[in-house]
Amino acid sequence: MKPYWMLALAIAFGATATASADSVIEPVAKRFEKSDAAEVPNFRQHVMPLLGKLGCNSRACHGSFQGQGGFRLSLFGYDAKLDHEGLAERVDKDKPENSYALQKPLLEEPHRGGKRLNKDSWEYNLLVSWIKGGAANENREEQPKLKALEVTPKEIVFSKEGQSIPLKAVAVWSDGRKEDVTCLCRFQTNDEQVAEIGKDGSVISHQAGDTHVVAFYDNSVVPVPVIRPVSDRVGDKYPAIATRTKIDELVVEKLKKLGVVPSDVSGDAEFLRRVSLDLVGTLPSAKEVTEFVADTQADKRAKKVDELLARPAYAAWWATRLSDWTGNAGVQNNNSPIPAGAYSRDWYEFIRVRLERNESYDKIAEGFVMAKSVQTGETYREYCEAITKAYYSDKTGVAERATMPYFWQRRMFQTPEDRVTGFAYSFLGIRIQCAQCHKHPFDQWTMDEFHQFKNFFVHTSGKSGTSPANRAAYNEISKEAGIDFKSNDRKKRQEQVSAALKEGKVIAFEEVYTAKATAPRVDPKRKKDDKDNTKNAQVPKSGAHIAKLLGQPDLIDLTQVDDARQPVMDWLRSKENKLFSKAFVNRVWANYFNVGIVQPPDDHNLANPPSNAALLNYLADEFVNRGYDIKWLHREIVLSDTYQRTWAPNDTNKADERNFSHAVPRRMPAEVAYDAIVAATSSDEAYEGVVNNMNRRAISIAEVARNNQGGNGVDGYPLGIFGRSIRESNCDCDRSSEASLLQTVYLQNDAQVLDKIRDTKSGWVGQAGRELGLIKEKRDDGKQRNNVLAKLEAEKARGEKRLAFFKKEKDEKGLELQEKKLAEIKDEIAAEKAKVAKAEADEKASEPKDEPMPTDKLAAVVKSTYLRTLTRLPSDDELSRSMAYVQSSEDKLQGLGDLVWALINTKEFIVNH
């Protein structure tokens, strides 16, 4: 038998006819079609992929961590050594056909996985040939590496249902060989309703739409776009669509292939509502809507966007979104003298103040990635003085310090594995945790790459304590302050801290620091690596001084850098790294369109490609070219026709939810929904006081709501039921936009909502009632009159007691005087009662009569109610019906409240469209 490499050499020199015209080695399905094949298959290139193709190394079979029937394979074939050792115990080199590894899938022996092989198949012949050839596991270092997997066609466009087009996958090896590996690939479809793919790589068209099919081989994952137009409006039949911006151009380019015609650009009111909710998390006021619609300037939308970006609510809302993505969920540190809640507030403020001054995204990210407590050029004592002042003297917090070390003290960052997973979610938008234990099933990342990347983060300490260099200073400051931080008595420590602060003493604080990586020492006697000589809370083990960036070929010696995280930060900014910019622009895009260009937004992987790769590349590249300018990104998106299109679909795009041909109505985020309810039910004066005061807004709550506790005076219960991010993991799915019965019950029946509607002091119903004359301000002198009458009655009672006394004492003179005085008091009481009765009659006469209200005033109130809730005027029918309902209500004020209640309980109110 010829080894595989000898066969390849023969092909290269034309010694066999198995090479095609373009020098691609024919597939093993053909080469092992017969049982007398002379070739010996390669374990890594042929046997392992075949095991994956047959499903042997899947999670449900021998790829599970427990294996099956005492036989375990690595999940998805990431560990050749493990797989080979397992198989070697089950093969018979002398009599290959009697190998237990073959008898089980042939069902010659009981097999829970069912029949997987047939004796007359090429798969069986390949495995037998490998066993006959010695069942070897070739030296990995001597084997050629897979450079690329070329899958053709690169794009599939179907014209009708039931069409079938085969894929061809060619492996390109580092020694120059090319081999057809289609029969060894695993395939999947990302939407089986649009396209189905068989085990042989044949793609079959189903319903109209677009998706991807994906080919898996070795470490390569290759997606192929599949399109079946939804209409006949393709090619020359596609209408002319204006493309004012690059975004519009790239979106329409994809829509042309699909035969999808985009919806028209929305009207001014629809645009204003959408951009206000998306950009600043705020429902526009009735006055703002009226003025914007009446504005005739051609550039009014661009000016409005600039005005929104300058509002405090912009930085407040987007600081909340970035707090979600970076995992601002508090810190696990019971020994810290830092006040409760300060960690989350300062984390939030660190982001907010930088967004307010439009600091570049890479600089904001650097503040987290490279964070440390003691800043460059600062001593540990100076650090403690600054933090003591920030929290207990000036009480300004630490948001203006250079970095945000609390990121490394997160509850979910207790192990290096947690850290690399959280970092990848936050700044790369990838779910790399699968590679912690096995090769990532949908991406290129291997277990080795996961742990090599992890080594960048093992040297940073986020637990309580200080670096070895500052430990003496920590003890000295604690002793000076009279605080025993080693004590487990928390109450006692708090009392000591309070006492020290009253005396103006400095408090010692824990420190986030990064120990310099050191090469492991080798004990010549034990011949075993020692641990790095660091005293870090997470002590790196042997080899932790060597790391590798994801997708990069070279290992990095961390002993050559002062901070092991610096190569990561440099890599994030490098041209080789596209994930950093793509992850951010995709998350921002998803905020505006309900779905990301990659969906879910935090799951960038090769098997989950973007719906519009050219669009994502443009935004990511231009974002970098613009210096990571966040406000540029917002403007670029919201000023495109793509963003400004109406939600109303046409015949071609009514089913489109991922190609951005129309706005997709989506429920408001929890914080925005709560603030919208407050805004819609508030009077004009109260609205201004609420929406412009970030200390009263739900969108600016720093802390995660726990046990129905919100912040800024906001109850946490509605935030919870509307899906505010719980930030318990690193996943964007911690925030929910799903509708629920509890949301409906809250809007319809909760006392909070009903009280806001009924509020006649600072609510819209109260303002409208006064405008319509339904509420009269009561005269202040009514209370004064009642007070005068009460005093006179009290004086009369005292006079009657004196009169009784004079009668008893038979004091005639005193009796005469008292009777006269008592008579005067009674006259005064009678006169005062007459005044009270007349005043009450006058007030009653001035009360509104049960008669129709002025039509023009009522119409204005109804229109304003629609503007403040739905950001539009009512239709003629809605106006007439609303007016008739209020007019016919026994309690007209209640009728107005009913109108507000009805409008905020419509889908049109609670969704952003």
Side-chain angles (χ1 to χ4, degrees):
M1 269 190 183
K2 294 181 181 179
Y4 178 59
W5 68 269
M6 292 181 63
L7 180 68
L9 189 63
I11 291 171
F13 285 94
T16 177
T18 56
S20 61
D22 58 355
S23 298
V24 175
I25 303 171
E26 63 184 5
V28 290
K30 189 170 184 179
R31 304 200 313 257
F32 292 92
E33 190 174 13
K34 296 181 180 180
S35 60
D36 58 353
E39 178 187 348
V40 177
N42 184 287
F43 182 69
R44 294 171 185 270
Q45 296 171 14
H46 301 132
V47 176
M48 288 180 69
L50 178 57
L51 295 176
K53 180 83 171 182
L54 296 174
C56 302
N57 58 17
S58 68
R59 185 177 285 108
C61 200
H62 299 287
S64 72
F65 292 125
Q66 295 80 26
Q68 292 287 349
F71 176 35
R72 182 190 168 198
L73 293 170
S74 61
L75 187 61
F76 307 118
Y78 71 88
D79 190 336
K81 184 174 183 292
L82 172 69
D83 293 352
H84 184 266
E85 289 174 351
L87 274 175
E89 296 176 353
R90 288 163 173 78
V91 302
D92 187 337
K93 296 178 185 178
D94 296 327
K95 296 180 179 180
E97 293 82 0
N98 293 339
S99 296
Y100 194 56
L102 297 176
Q103 292 173 342
K104 295 281 281 187
L106 286 169
L107 274 185
E108 292 177 355
E109 292 285 342
H111 184 221
R112 291 178 62 187
K115 191 169 185 178
R116 299 283 173 164
L117 280 178
N118 291 309
K119 276 198 172 182
D120 57 353
S121 66
W122 66 266
E123 294 95 336
Y124 176 79
N125 294 336
L126 185 149
L127 292 172
V128 169
S129 296
W130 174 67
I131 299 170
K132 283 182 179 179
N137 178 17
E138 299 80 4
N139 189 311
R140 181 177 182 179
E141 299 304 318
E142 296 176 0
Q143 293 293 303
K145 303 293 188 295
L146 181 66
K147 288 180 61 180
L149 182 66
E150 297 176 347
V151 181
T152 53
K154 294 187 178 298
E155 181 180 76
I156 296 174
V157 180
F158 289 118
S159 59
K160 61 182 180 180
E161 186 174 359
Q163 276 185 295
S164 179
I165 294 178
L167 292 181
K168 181 179 180 180
V170 174
V172 181
W173 303 100
S174 57
D175 60 3
R177 288 180 298 105
K178 293 185 176 183
E179 179 184 3
D180 186 336
V181 293
T182 308
C183 61
L184 293 171
C185 288
R186 290 184 295 113
F187 298 101
Q188 76 171 34
T189 176
N190 288 354
D191 189 341
E192 60 186 15
Q193 292 183 323
V194 175
E196 176 188 346
I197 188 165
K199 291 185 176 181
D200 62 350
S202 295
V203 184
I204 303 170
S205 172
H206 290 314
Q207 69 182 31
D210 69 306
T211 185
H212 287 82
V213 291
V214 187
F216 301 84
Y217 175 76
D218 194 77
N219 202 35
S220 288
V221 182
V222 180
V224 176
V226 178
I227 293 174
R228 184 184 157 208
V230 302
S231 75
D232 62 353
R233 300 181 195 184
V234 294
D236 296 338
K237 294 182 179 181
Y238 196 79
I241 303 295
T243 52
R244 293 188 306 105
T245 69
K246 186 67 175 179
I247 288 176
D248 300 328
E249 177 186 325
L250 295 172
V251 169
V252 171
E253 185 178 297
K254 171 77 179 290
L255 297 179
K256 282 181 179 179
K257 296 179 180 180
L258 280 163
V260 171
V261 179
S263 296
D264 295 333
V265 172
S266 63
D268 287 338
E270 184 179 337
F271 166 76
L272 178 62
R273 177 185 174 90
R274 185 188 307 159
V275 76
S276 297
L277 292 171
D278 281 342
L279 193 54
V280 295
T282 304
L283 191 68
S285 67
K287 179 183 177 183
E288 186 179 0
V289 179
T290 303
E291 291 176 349
F292 184 74
V293 172
D295 191 345
T296 58
Q297 296 180 86
D299 61 346
K300 67 179 181 180
R301 294 194 179 191
K303 287 182 176 178
K304 173 55 70 173
V305 169
D306 285 342
E307 186 257 309
L308 293 174
L309 286 170
R311 289 187 189 180
Y314 158 71
W317 171 231
W318 284 93
T320 294
R321 301 300 287 123
L322 265 74
S323 288
D324 289 347
W325 302 335
T326 54
N328 180 7
V331 169
Q332 188 70 46
N333 192 348
N334 293 329
N335 286 328
S336 175
I338 292 177
Y343 290 104
S344 290
R345 288 196 297 273
D346 281 339
W347 189 324
Y348 172 87
E349 280 297 302
F350 180 86
I351 300 171
R352 189 195 64 78
V353 297
R354 284 156 179 78
L355 290 175
E356 196 168 56
R357 57 180 178 246
N358 199 32
E359 191 165 298
S360 65
Y361 174 64
D362 65 317
K363 289 291 293 180
I364 294 175
E366 185 177 32
F368 287 99
V369 177
M370 299 299 297
K372 58 183 179 180
S373 297
V374 181
Q375 304 300 305
T376 302
E378 184 179 50
T379 66
Y380 177 74
R381 181 174 285 275
E382 289 171 340
Y383 156 69
C384 292
E385 290 171 349
I387 303 303
T388 302
K389 183 178 181 182
Y391 284 127
Y392 293 105
S393 176
D394 295 349
K395 297 185 178 180
T396 54
V398 298
E400 288 292 358
R401 286 178 67 82
T403 63
M404 179 39 59
Y406 303 155
F407 176 75
W408 297 100
Q409 294 176 294
R410 293 165 60 183
R411 289 186 177 94
M412 301 91 74
F413 262 32
Q414 299 306 301
T415 68
E417 289 76 15
D418 292 339
R419 291 178 173 193
V420 69
T421 299
F423 174 88
Y425 264 111
S426 295
F427 300 111
L428 301 175
I430 61 175
R431 302 179 180 182
I432 198 175
Q433 66 270 28
C434 289
Q436 180 177 342
C437 302
H438 54 77
K439 181 192 176 298
H440 197 294
F442 306 118
D443 217 331
Q444 60 187 307
W445 317 123
T446 65
M447 200 166 95
D448 285 346
E449 286 177 307
F450 176 94
H451 291 285
Q452 288 168 338
F453 189 56
K454 176 190 71 178
N455 287 344
F456 288 109
F457 308 108
V458 301
H459 304 275
T460 298
S461 171
K463 293 186 178 180
S464 58
T466 59
S467 65
N470 292 327
R471 193 156 298 142
Y474 175 89
N475 293 335
E476 181 181 348
I477 294 172
S478 297
K479 184 177 180 180
E480 291 171 358
I483 301 172
D484 181 13
F485 282 115
K486 294 180 180 179
S487 170
N488 292 324
D489 189 337
R490 189 175 182 182
K491 183 178 179 181
K492 180 181 178 181
R493 290 197 309 272
Q494 290 175 337
E495 291 173 349
Q496 291 173 340
V497 168
S498 297
L501 290 170
K502 286 180 180 178
E503 297 176 14
K505 294 180 179 179
V506 176
I507 306 299
F509 294 88
E510 73 278 0
E511 174 191 6
V512 171
Y513 66 95
T514 298
K516 185 172 177 58
T518 59
R521 301 189 304 271
V522 178
D523 186 337
K525 295 180 179 179
R526 298 176 62 188
K527 300 293 183 184
K528 184 177 180 181
D529 290 349
D530 194 5
K531 293 180 179 179
D532 287 3
N533 59 347
T534 60
K535 300 295 184 182
N536 193 354
Q538 292 87 29
V539 180
K541 296 181 179 180
S542 300
H545 68 296
I546 300 296
K548 191 170 81 165
L549 297 163
L550 293 176
Q552 300 301 301
D554 300 325
L555 295 172
I556 296 176
D557 184 353
L558 298 179
T559 65
Q560 302 303 305
V561 295
D562 292 330
D563 191 321
R565 301 168 298 176
Q566 188 62 56
V568 177
M569 192 63 231
D570 294 341
W571 171 63
L572 291 182
R573 288 188 169 116
S574 70
K575 292 181 179 180
E576 290 78 18
N577 185 342
K578 300 293 185 182
L579 283 172
F580 179 55
S581 56
K582 284 183 177 180
F584 185 74
V585 301
N586 187 59
R587 276 178 164 134
V588 173
W589 182 276
N591 182 84
Y592 290 117
F593 290 92
N594 192 50
V595 295
I597 306 172
V598 170
Q599 183 65 19
D602 62 349
D603 194 13
H604 291 248
N605 67 69
L606 295 175
N608 183 37
S611 60
N612 192 322
L615 174 63
L616 183 59
N617 289 335
Y618 162 71
L619 288 171
D621 291 344
E622 196 62 18
F623 181 54
V624 175
N625 294 338
R626 299 275 180 162
Y628 299 93
D629 186 336
I630 299 174
K631 286 188 176 180
W632 170 86
L633 179 61
H634 289 302
R635 288 190 186 95
E636 186 73 2
I637 293 174
V638 302
L639 292 177
S640 68
D641 284 350
T642 300
Y643 174 76
Q644 296 181 31
R645 299 199 184 283
T646 180
W647 64 270
N650 55 49
D651 289 341
T652 68
N653 70 358
K654 58 187 177 183
D656 175 34
E657 293 186 350
R658 60 188 176 207
N659 287 298
F660 322 116
S661 61
H662 63 95
V664 176
R666 67 241 188 234
R667 210 213 61 216
M668 296 181 208
E671 302 90 334
V672 178
Y674 182 89
D675 284 346
I677 294 168
V678 173
T681 56
S682 295
S683 66
D684 292 339
E685 182 180 355
Y687 173 93
E688 296 299 329
V690 171
V691 300
N692 296 318
N693 183 353
M694 295 305 107
N695 292 326
R696 296 175 63 188
R697 295 290 303 273
I699 62 168
S700 60
I701 298 173
E703 302 89 348
V704 174
R706 300 186 189 279
N707 300 321
N708 288 342
Q709 298 299 312
N712 291 357
V714 177
D715 184 9
Y717 173 71
L719 299 182
I721 64 172
F722 278 96
R724 185 181 191 233
S725 179
I726 54 177
R727 300 177 191 164
E728 288 184 350
S729 69
N730 295 294
C731 182
D732 285 10
C733 58
D734 279 342
R735 177 179 288 275
S736 172
S737 60
E738 297 299 319
S740 72
L741 180 60
L742 283 176
Q743 296 165 14
T744 302
V745 172
Y746 177 79
L747 286 172
Q748 292 185 355
N749 297 319
D750 196 273
Q752 286 184 1
V753 176
L754 298 179
D755 287 346
K756 287 179 173 63
I757 294 173
R758 296 167 181 156
D759 184 1
T760 57
K761 183 178 181 181
S762 58
W764 164 242
V765 168
Q767 178 184 334
R770 283 184 284 275
E771 291 175 0
L772 292 171
L774 299 177
I775 300 176
K776 290 286 186 179
E777 299 296 341
K778 292 186 176 181
R779 295 173 59 183
D780 292 338
D781 59 352
K783 185 176 181 181
Q784 294 174 356
R785 288 196 302 268
N786 289 329
N787 288 339
V788 170
L789 189 59
K791 288 180 180 178
L792 288 171
E793 291 284 2
E795 190 173 345
K796 174 189 169 186
R798 289 193 296 271
E800 289 174 339
K801 285 183 179 180
R802 292 193 191 99
L803 188 66
F805 174 78
F806 289 135
K807 284 181 178 180
K808 182 180 179 181
E809 296 294 324
K810 299 180 180 181
D811 186 344
E812 294 183 3
K813 187 175 182 180
L815 186 63
E816 182 182 355
L817 290 173
Q818 189 61 34
E819 285 177 341
K820 184 179 180 180
K821 190 172 182 180
L822 192 59
E824 291 174 352
I825 292 173
K826 288 180 178 179
D827 289 342
E828 286 185 50
I829 289 174
E832 192 63 32
K833 282 184 176 180
K835 289 181 183 178
V836 170
K838 184 177 185 302
E840 289 176 348
D842 290 343
E843 283 185 2
K844 188 173 183 180
S846 67
E847 287 179 356
K849 303 295 187 297
D850 188 15
E851 58 187 25
M853 290 174 285
T855 303
D856 56 342
K857 287 187 176 181
L858 180 56
V861 165
V862 171
K863 289 177 181 179
S864 185
T865 304
Y866 269 80
L867 287 171
R868 68 198 314 109
T869 53
L870 307 185
T871 324
R872 66 170 176 83
L873 290 169
S875 66
D876 290 343
D877 180 57
E878 289 171 330
L879 179 61
S880 63
R881 286 192 291 117
S882 298
M883 291 176 64
Y885 177 82
V886 176
Q887 288 279 28
S888 64
S889 298
E890 183 176 345
D891 183 340
K892 292 180 173 54
L893 203 62
Q894 177 65 44
L896 285 174
D898 291 346
L899 176 60
V900 175
W901 179 91
L903 292 177
I904 66 173
N905 274 283
T906 61
K907 286 184 180 180
E908 190 176 353
F909 173 77
I910 203 62
V911 302
N912 187 2
H913 46 78

